[in-house]
Amino acid sequence: MSFMGKTQTVRRTAHSGCRASAGASSGGGSVLTPELRTAVEEFLQEHKVVLFMKGNRQFPQCGFSNTCVQILNMVQVPYETVNILENETLRAGMKEYSSWPTFPQIYIDGEFIGGCDIAIELYQSGELKELVEKALVS
Amino acid sequence: MVPDATQRYKQLLYYASKLKPLAPEYHVQENKVVGCVSQVWVKPSLGEDGLVYFAADSDSQLTKGLAALLVEGLSGATPSQILRIQPDFIQLLGLSQKLTPSRNNGFLNMLLLMQKRTLALFMEQEKRRKLEESSSASLGGSPGVQSAEPSGGDAEVAGTSNGSKEDPSGSSSGGSTGAAQVHSVNGNNGRPIYTGMKEKLEAGLSPVALEIEDESHQHAGHAGVHKGASETHFNVKIVSNAFDGMNVVKRHRAVYQLLQEEFANGLHALSLSTKTPEEAGVSKS
């Protein structure tokens, strides 16, 4: 089953009554069920570079997401994108998983790297290319 | 750290038994941890020394133990130390496997509530101090000048920041919020998100420099933001000693943690610049 498919079935078993779209971690319960967490972990293990973004690489739907797409394109690395606009559960779940309230979110080799500002910094310093190359050979 | 998981569990119960009880009058809604299976209350208080001390209670032994752990660990810290704690220490305690997901969640929420109440308490104190300072500065004339409450004089200070009123004394009187110099572009006319952010960042990071710019207009109408919303996207530049020794992700997380309420109330995105004074080429003050 595709990652999106998996995370969308998880939605039915997720904690009910959460305002997933607001992603309010200070409020009620957790959206990040063990099943969702596992699905995310597996996906991150399968793909070396993942961008959780708004829209997709052909049609980014936010300036910050677009910037990340452009940066990853320039680094010339194969990467997966996940459109969190298509899935409110995932959108809220990833905020918890990453302890990061915003998108885009970049993962390299299963590790959270940062958002757009961090991607820009790392790209400019050359670190991003290094991280990516290290991940590809690991 | 206690090596065996079962032993850790027993230790928790031991802590529970030693926790001083919290007087029933503090078993109120604002002190109650949300998202916890049992009932848990936490109450911070500011000591004379400016440090935060906690008291807590619960109707279940296990959660009492967890609360006691937090009380022990966090009492005697400064407000900004408390606010800067990242939840990942929970992993370090090695309890996560022994606790069910909802217990883990409850523990996290306990920490979050403690941070939230600490912040509220700290804000209240800061407001009181500012009022005292500005009234003793005796500007005379119209009472409407200050950011003070509408009824003037010694009005009741609300528990959480009164978002709709702007604080003009921030830059001029200098001394009230420590060394923070606030340059705000785009003017401040009492916008709640902007105000909330400014206060929390000042309280939590004691910045040497802080700039907050509303860039919502640049993002109006983009996906995921409902049309017409303002105060959704900000550019924030912070220079603070608190960032020393933190990598970039940690720094951003520290900022996000302080602004959880804002994110829940419509703040959508932040462009962050987080530097230490040395990195910014500013002298330490």
Side-chain angles (χ1 to χ4, degrees):
Chain A
M1 197 196 285
S2 76
F3 178 57
M4 265 313 191
K6 230 183 280 182
T7 55
Q8 270 158 347
T9 42
V10 165
R11 183 216 300 255
R12 282 179 228 124
T13 55
H15 192 284
S16 62
C18 281
R19 294 193 307 131
S21 56
S25 56
S26 52
S30 165
V31 176
L32 192 61
T33 61
E35 295 89 354
L36 185 55
R37 182 181 278 277
T38 310
V40 173
E41 277 168 0
E42 281 172 7
F43 188 73
L44 292 175
Q45 269 163 17
E46 265 178 67
H47 305 279
K48 293 292 178 181
V49 183
V50 181
L51 175 64
F52 291 93
M53 63 181 285
K54 295 182 174 170
N56 58 44
R57 86 186 73 195
Q58 284 84 12
F59 298 106
Q61 290 189 282
C62 138
F64 301 128
S65 288
N66 184 35
T67 303
C68 282
V69 166
Q70 300 314 318
I71 288 180
L72 288 172
N73 287 346
M74 295 219 266
V75 174
Q76 293 181 319
V77 58
Y79 63 99
E80 279 293 310
T81 64
V82 177
N83 184 358
I84 48 90
L85 291 177
E86 286 181 350
N87 187 333
E88 281 302 323
T89 310
L90 187 64
R91 185 175 179 176
M94 283 314 297
K95 289 181 183 181
E96 264 190 71
Y97 187 92
S98 313
S99 300
W100 198 262
T102 55
F103 292 96
Q105 294 182 4
I106 299 183
Y107 274 82
I108 300 181
D109 217 1
E111 229 189 277
F112 178 68
I113 299 302
C116 174
D117 294 332
I118 295 179
I120 293 175
E121 261 187 63
L122 293 177
Y123 175 71
Q124 288 175 331
S125 69
E127 247 180 281
L128 187 64
K129 186 118 181 111
E130 274 177 39
L131 281 168
V132 149
E133 280 169 359
K134 220 173 25 163
L136 290 175
V137 298
S138 71
Chain B
M1 175 176 90
V2 182
D4 181 49
T6 322
Q7 282 284 67
R8 282 182 227 139
Y9 196 83
K10 287 201 180 130
Q11 185 118 11
L12 265 187
L13 296 178
Y14 173 71
Y15 280 131
S17 63
K18 312 235 57 196
L19 182 66
K20 280 194 220 92
L22 181 69
E25 66 249 29
Y26 292 121
H27 289 210
V28 288
Q29 199 53 36
E30 63 175 8
N31 291 337
K32 191 142 182 277
V33 178
V34 199
C36 194
V37 187
S38 324
Q39 301 200 84
V40 185
W41 298 271
V42 295
K43 185 189 172 317
S45 39
L46 281 173
E48 285 298 305
D49 46 12
L51 301 178
V52 187
Y53 296 91
F54 287 98
D57 209 344
S58 173
D59 58 358
S60 123
Q61 282 302 97
L62 182 61
T63 49
K64 205 169 169 195
L66 291 172
L69 201 69
L70 285 176
V71 165
E72 268 304 298
L74 269 55
S75 288
T78 66
S80 64
Q81 281 171 335
I82 305 245
L83 293 171
R84 276 187 256 142
I85 296 173
Q86 305 284 1
D88 31 11
F89 81 92
I90 294 176
Q91 251 80 302
L92 295 172
L93 290 174
L95 284 170
S96 344
Q97 305 94 323
K98 265 279 165 197
L99 297 174
T100 66
S102 55
R103 290 291 188 204
N104 268 307
N105 195 43
F107 190 50
L108 177 66
N109 283 332
M110 259 187 249
L111 173 66
L112 292 173
L113 184 64
M114 282 165 114
Q115 290 177 318
K116 197 170 169 192
R117 301 287 297 117
T118 301
L119 185 63
L121 209 63
F122 184 70
M123 295 297 196
E124 212 183 291
Q125 198 200 45
E126 284 295 291
K127 272 224 153 63
R128 240 178 262 142
R129 236 171 12 100
K130 273 190 198 150
L131 277 174
E132 280 165 28
E133 281 180 17
S134 50
S135 56
S136 62
S138 59
L139 294 171
S142 59
V145 172
Q146 302 307 327
S147 63
E149 281 44 50
S151 48
D154 245 276
E156 270 300 292
V157 178
T160 52
S161 55
N162 190 355
S164 56
K165 295 283 189 288
E166 188 45 18
D167 180 8
S169 60
S171 31
S172 48
S173 59
S176 40
T177 40
Q181 284 172 38
V182 181
H183 309 273
S184 39
V185 193
N186 296 2
N188 9 321
N189 31 25
R191 294 166 307 162
I193 301 279
Y194 172 85
T195 321
M197 280 173 57
K198 184 153 117 19
E199 287 179 344
K200 283 164 190 162
L201 293 175
E202 282 172 359
L205 298 169
S206 304
V208 164
L210 175 65
E211 273 180 55
I212 304 178
E213 255 184 82
D214 189 339
E215 294 187 325
S216 310
H217 57 278
Q218 290 178 17
H219 297 267
H222 96 86
V225 182
H226 78 84
K227 288 190 165 50
S230 65
E231 291 217 294
T232 56
H233 293 68
F234 287 85
N235 189 341
V236 180
K237 297 192 171 69
I238 311 172
V239 180
S240 164
N241 283 308
F243 294 138
D244 210 7
M246 286 192 194
N247 69 24
V248 180
V249 173
K250 272 211 165 79
R251 293 181 189 192
H252 287 209
R253 281 209 176 112
V255 174
Y256 287 144
Q257 203 155 334
L258 291 169
L259 304 178
Q260 286 177 67
E261 215 179 301
E262 279 65 36
F263 273 105
N265 289 335
L267 175 61
H268 188 73
L270 293 177
S271 285
L272 293 177
S273 160
T274 49
K275 297 201 156 102
T276 62
E278 289 93 333
E279 288 163 3
V282 172
S283 58
K284 280 197 210 190
S285 40

